[in-house]
Amino acid sequence: MPSAKINGINIYYESHGDGFPLVLAYGIGGNTTEWGPQMPVLSQRYRFIVWDPRGHAKSDSPAEADQYNQEIFAEDLKGLLDHLGIQRAYVGGLSMGAGIATRFTILHPRRVAALLICDSFSASGLETPPENRRMREEIIQLAETEGMESVAEYSIKNNPNISQTAALGKEQAESIREMYLALNPVGYAHSTRMILNATFDASLLEGIKAPTLVLAGQEDGALPACRFIHEKISGSQLVVIPGAGHLSNLDQPEAFNRAVLEFLAKVDQEVKV
């Protein structure tokens, strides 16, 4: 099981294929297996690296709340690239993972050959809407008092980011449940608090010069935030995937993969991959 000691904790990662590195992280509550529909496709052309941020799945979950913020998560990504000897990469992710990659791009622009922001509110720098904040606070309380089984039940029914995908069928709902049960409740609670407080000056997005893909499901509640990001990052490309919600890579994997490959094919020419 590959892991690297980064910033005092173990970070789990997987590397698939060869070529120019493409490094992605999943959203809050997810893990590397959620990239299953992308692995055989993206690894054909790129060194496709997926990783579990701190507080998630097979990575360590520090007990202290102050060990979770966007800057720390971004430095974990830097540490992972350093560990792998990668000076420059395509970086990105979905939801929280995209928020981490965006913060990393702001802090370490020379390390980023392209940025992929998928279905992400936390990458926008905007404040969490009150109704979403209330839902997240309930989830935190459940994680700390009842555990991840209760979080899974609640989220499948009440979290629009999850419920739409879970409603696609029994197999999808069970996959979502297993995703939550793989989590450490302490790490998940602290990571969720981080998401609630993950604001930054949105004008920093205007300084991003790397080629950027902003992608969102047409039915994703984060779509307005993604449109905002697209407007802030000059020259960015916006792709909206019909029939997809917040977990667009799972809801419409073929359309997701096609959009990513078409975007990166253009960037490949610029960076001479």
Side-chain angles (χ1 to χ4, degrees), residues 11 23-32 35 51-57 59-60 68-74 76-77 91-104 115-124 136 161-162 179 183 187-198 200 220 222 226 229 246-247:
I11 295 292
V23 187
L24 302 180
Y26 212 66
I28 183 78
N31 58 66
T32 57
W35 294 113
W51 64 293
D52 288 331
R54 62 175 58 210
H56 283 74
S59 290
D60 288 348
Y68 297 78
N69 62 50
Q70 277 193 318
E71 286 72 23
I72 291 175
F73 279 64
D76 287 345
L77 175 54
V91 302
L94 186 141
S95 196
M96 180 191 74
I100 296 169
T102 299
R103 199 65 176 149
F104 174 81
L115 173 62
L116 295 85
I117 300 173
C118 306
D119 300 284
S120 184
F121 186 93
S122 63
S124 70
R136 296 286 186 187
N161 290 348
I162 300 300
M179 178 184 81
L183 296 170
Y188 179 72
H190 287 330
S191 297
T192 303
R193 286 194 183 92
M194 185 272 289
I195 288 292
L196 290 178
N197 299 314
F200 59 87
D220 181 13
C226 288
I229 295 168
H246 190 62
L247 308 184

Side-chain angles (χ1 to χ4, degrees), residues 26-43:
Y26 212 66
I28 183 78
N31 58 66
T32 57
T33 67
E34 308 305 311
W35 294 113
Q38 283 68 56
M39 285 182 185
V41 178
L42 300 183
S43 64

